[in-house]
């Protein structure tokens, strides 16, 4: 274990560039990704608090004027990545994508502040960070939930972070692929294409992106006209948790945001509308096509991380979570294996992802501590069997995707070094 702790630190430092860290050191993701950076910051906080804060500060340097924090910042423009900065054609100060990603910065920052003493200089830095995070969350409330339903929309599958999850299959089928679409993928030359999204998925990702670009990413316009508009359980759970954590951070600094405290109340109430009493599970909703999406994704259990004040529902969810892929050596597969959409090795359609396990393990700490500890133990075993990869198979922890994957290393540090 000692050895692997060292390797985790080396992995992060090896992927570090000027003030930010790549998701991996190969060519697959040659930029700064939003939620990757948040996990990475947590990892750094175990051995270099300045790197941790710098990672977050650099990400927020790319914040748009309206408050959005992009899903990718292209600090280095000389790469083979597609879609690169010219394909997006936007950004404020730093070239970026025109969409966002799960807003987990406040959650990560709270964990970092809870376990570290910070200097006066660092306190100043943290206050700047916090003000930017408030603007980011208020951007979500204003532009991604214009009707104030308490639930925010994502306008591109890439915004979820779980790009080709079967959750998006039905809404994606309705997306018309642009005529004469021309682009060149790089990802499927770098990783076994059987472990990556399909070409038809990419055709649609690019068509949605081009449509957003045509509207100049105007947040009001694209809410109504995006080819994809989904209220996702996982995403909203992470946002609810992030809002709660942000309020706690604000209390520490004697700051307030009534917009955010009010929004938490509406979300707590209305997220229950995504709960299906018969199926005893939460499901996402396709807003554009007005349809519920019945896919048993592990991300639907992120609601446990949001600490919903409803013991009955929490108990039912934990019971079904225990059946998610209980016959396998490792859990949790991103999709329940008996579902028709499940694919053992294809990215978000079946493999195990360390960050999903981490959210659920954290969420269960105050609800079913022994199960939470078991998830932690199994996840550590999986990583120790094969190292820091992007994703793993449920039966043998066969490693797939990128090697030296930063968030797997960062979250390993939290799993083995936090005191819980
Ligand atoms: C990719 O390039 O596969 C990313 O997941 C998009 O955000």
């Amino acid at each position: 274990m000692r050895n692997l702790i060292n390797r985790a630190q080396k992995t992060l430092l090896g992927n570090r560039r000027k003030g930010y860290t790549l998701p991996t050191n190969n060519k697959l993701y040659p930029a700064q990704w939003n939620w990757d950076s948040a996990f990475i910051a947590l990892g750094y906080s175990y051995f270099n608090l300045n790197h941790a804060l710098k990672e977050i500060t650099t990400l927020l340097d790319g914040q748009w004027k309206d408050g959005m924090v992009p899903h990718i910042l292209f600090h280095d423009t000389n790469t083979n990545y597609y879609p690169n900065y010219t394909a997006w054609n936007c950004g404020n100060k730093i070239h970026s994508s025109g969409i966002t990603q799960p807003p987990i910065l406040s959650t990560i920052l709270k964990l970092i502040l809870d376990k570290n003493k910070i200097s006066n200089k660092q306190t100043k830095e943290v206050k700047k960070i916090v003000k930017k995070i408030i603007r980011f969350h208020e951007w979500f409330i204003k532009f991604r939930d214009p009707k104030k339903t308490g639930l925010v929309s994502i306008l591109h599958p890439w915004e979820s972070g779980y790009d080709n999850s079967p959750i998006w299959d039905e809404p994606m089928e309705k997306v018309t692929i642009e005529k004469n679409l021309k682009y060149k993928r790089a990802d499927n030359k770098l990783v076994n294409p059987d472990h990556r999204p399909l070409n038809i998925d990419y055709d649609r990702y690019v068509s949605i992106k081009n449509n957003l670009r045509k509207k100049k990413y105007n947040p009001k316009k694209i809410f109504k006209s995006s080819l994809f508009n989904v209220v996702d359980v996982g995403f909203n759970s992470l946002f609810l948790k992030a809002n709660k954590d942000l309020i706690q951070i604000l209390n520490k600094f004697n700051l307030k945001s009534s917009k955010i405290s009010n929004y938490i109340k509406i979300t707590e109430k209305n997220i229950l509308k995504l709960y299906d009493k018969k199926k005893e599970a939460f499901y996402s909703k396709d807003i554009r096509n007005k349809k519920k999406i019945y896919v048993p994704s592990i991300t639907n259990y992120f609601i446990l991380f949001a600490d919903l004040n409803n013991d009955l529902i929490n108990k039912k969810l934990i019971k079904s979570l225990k059946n998610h892929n209980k016959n396998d050596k490792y859990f949790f597969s991103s999709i329940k294996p008996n579902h028709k959409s499940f694919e053992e090795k294809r990215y978000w359609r079946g493999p195990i992802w360390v960050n999903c396990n981490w959210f659920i393990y954290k969420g269960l700490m105050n609800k079913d501590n022994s199960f939470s500890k078991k998830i932690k133990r199994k996840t550590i075993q999986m990583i120790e069997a094969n190292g820091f990869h992007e994703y793993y198979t449920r039966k043998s922890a066969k490693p797939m995707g990128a090697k030296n994957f930063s968030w797997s290393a960062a979250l390993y540090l939290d799993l083995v070094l936090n005191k819980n």
Side-chain angles (χ1 to χ4, degrees):
M1 184 172 99
R2 218 18 298 147
N3 202 357
L4 215 56
I5 291 173
N6 286 337
R7 268 186 50 205
Q9 297 184 358
K10 281 204 178 124
T11 300
L12 292 178
L13 294 172
N15 293 344
R16 190 159 194 262
R17 300 295 180 263
K18 242 184 138 201
Y20 71 98
T21 307
L22 304 172
T24 165
N25 63 4
N26 72 13
K27 299 198 170 82
L28 191 59
Y29 306 119
Q32 184 178 20
W33 259 260
N34 187 326
W35 73 336
D36 294 68
S37 265
F39 294 126
I40 288 164
L42 181 63
Y44 280 133
S45 72
Y46 284 97
F47 63 103
N48 190 328
L49 188 54
N50 284 331
H51 280 7
L53 297 178
K54 182 70 185 164
E55 186 74 29
I56 297 175
T57 303
T58 305
L59 180 68
L60 291 169
D61 283 345
Q63 182 165 38
W64 283 16
K65 290 207 179 87
D66 63 11
M68 186 187 83
V69 181
H71 105 293
I72 305 177
L73 298 182
F74 299 102
H75 299 284
D76 177 1
T77 50
N78 185 23
T79 69
N80 258 340
Y81 181 76
Y82 186 85
N84 67 1
Y85 76 104
T86 50
W88 284 105
N89 192 34
C90 56
N92 175 35
K93 292 187 193 144
I94 304 169
H95 292 294
S96 75
S97 68
I99 56 172
T100 189
Q101 241 184 352
I104 59 166
L105 280 176
S106 59
T107 294
I108 295 295
L109 185 65
K110 178 171 182 299
L111 291 172
I112 294 175
L113 295 176
D114 284 350
K115 68 181 175 60
N116 281 288
K117 272 219 157 65
I118 55 170
S119 66
N120 286 345
K121 188 165 166 259
Q122 286 165 336
T123 305
K124 270 197 195 141
E125 206 180 333
V126 169
K127 279 192 180 158
K128 278 193 199 149
I129 289 175
V130 172
K131 286 191 181 138
K132 289 183 176 181
I133 297 179
I134 298 175
R135 287 190 53 228
F136 183 30
H137 286 210
E138 292 183 352
W139 172 86
F140 264 113
I141 296 170
K142 182 165 176 198
F143 293 115
R144 292 309 182 85
D145 181 17
K147 293 186 191 138
K148 298 292 157 289
T149 63
L151 302 170
V152 294
S153 285
I154 54 169
L155 304 183
H156 195 300
W158 282 338
E159 293 203 305
S160 70
Y162 19 107
D163 306 0
N164 70 338
S165 166
I167 312 172
W168 321 130
D169 286 1
E170 284 193 20
M172 284 289 267
E173 248 170 56
K174 300 262 164 49
V175 171
T176 313
I177 296 170
E178 199 180 294
K179 273 192 203 131
N180 307 319
L181 196 60
K182 274 201 198 80
Y183 68 95
K184 220 166 157 189
R185 285 177 77 174
D187 64 292
N188 56 354
K189 319 278 179 309
L190 298 161
V191 167
N192 183 339
D194 294 343
H195 305 172
R196 291 287 302 175
L198 303 172
N199 282 335
I200 188 159
D201 298 328
Y202 260 77
D203 285 353
R204 291 190 168 114
Y205 298 146
V206 177
S207 299
I208 302 170
K209 171 193 78 67
N210 288 352
N211 182 262
L212 300 174
R213 178 177 162 167
K214 239 180 256 156
K215 307 270 154 48
K216 300 201 163 63
Y217 309 102
N218 176 314
K220 266 198 192 137
K221 285 192 187 149
I222 59 176
F223 185 87
K224 289 187 214 120
S225 60
S226 178
L227 306 177
F228 181 97
N229 184 329
V230 173
V231 159
D232 176 56
V233 179
F235 197 96
N236 277 281
S237 305
L238 297 181
F239 188 47
L240 175 57
K241 171 70 170 160
N243 277 328
K244 289 181 178 177
D245 289 337
L246 182 55
I247 293 296
Q248 294 210 32
I249 297 174
L250 294 185
N251 288 342
K252 255 189 208 188
F253 294 114
N254 283 323
L255 294 167
K256 268 203 172 100
S257 163
S258 54
K259 270 189 205 146
I260 290 169
S261 350
N262 289 337
Y263 198 71
I264 291 174
K265 286 184 207 137
I266 319 178
T267 309
E268 290 263 23
K269 193 165 138 243
N270 287 353
I271 205 163
L272 292 174
K273 290 187 183 156
L274 302 179
Y275 185 68
D276 187 307
K277 277 197 184 132
K278 265 205 202 117
K279 296 188 197 289
E280 302 189 333
F282 279 84
Y283 293 106
S284 300
K285 195 170 171 202
D286 179 350
I287 299 297
R288 189 171 162 84
N289 302 298
K290 301 192 175 63
K291 263 184 102 176
K292 275 264 176 89
I293 303 171
Y294 294 106
V295 173
S297 167
I298 195 62
T299 57
N300 294 342
Y301 292 97
F302 291 173
I303 192 81
L304 291 164
F305 185 59
D307 290 329
L308 214 56
N309 188 11
N310 190 320
D311 286 347
L312 191 69
I313 290 184
N314 286 340
K315 270 201 190 110
K316 288 188 170 158
L317 291 178
I318 293 170
K319 195 168 156 227
S320 73
L321 177 63
K322 286 180 175 166
N323 279 314
H324 185 78
N325 66 311
K326 72 163 184 232
N327 298 323
D328 297 320
K329 181 155 182 211
Y330 299 99
F331 48 68
F332 295 107
S333 59
S334 35
I335 296 297
K336 199 170 159 83
N338 66 3
H339 191 256
K340 60 181 191 302
S341 67
F342 175 85
E343 291 182 68
E344 184 81 41
K345 296 180 180 164
R346 199 181 291 284
Y347 211 39
W348 287 95
R349 303 182 71 86
I352 300 174
W353 289 76
V354 173
N355 65 335
C356 293
N357 285 12
W358 183 85
F359 286 129
I360 293 171
Y361 136 74
K362 288 273 186 215
L364 288 181
M365 269 162 51
N366 59 3
K367 300 175 192 72
D368 185 336
N369 198 255
S370 74
F371 190 35
S372 162
K373 286 208 168 104
K374 187 170 172 193
I375 297 168
K376 172 166 153 167
R377 209 170 52 239
K378 285 267 194 179
T379 309
I380 292 173
Q381 275 169 13
M382 177 179 82
I383 298 172
E384 290 185 345
N386 283 308
F388 309 118
H389 279 260
E390 191 178 2
Y391 41 100
Y392 305 81
T393 57
R394 71 204 157 105
K395 286 191 176 142
S396 59
K398 179 181 146 60
M400 289 174 298
K403 288 188 278 208
N404 301 308
F405 197 64
S406 298
W407 88 33
S408 299
L411 295 177
Y412 176 77
L413 290 175
D414 183 68
L415 289 170
V416 298
L417 296 175
N418 79 47
K419 303 274 173 330
N420 302 298

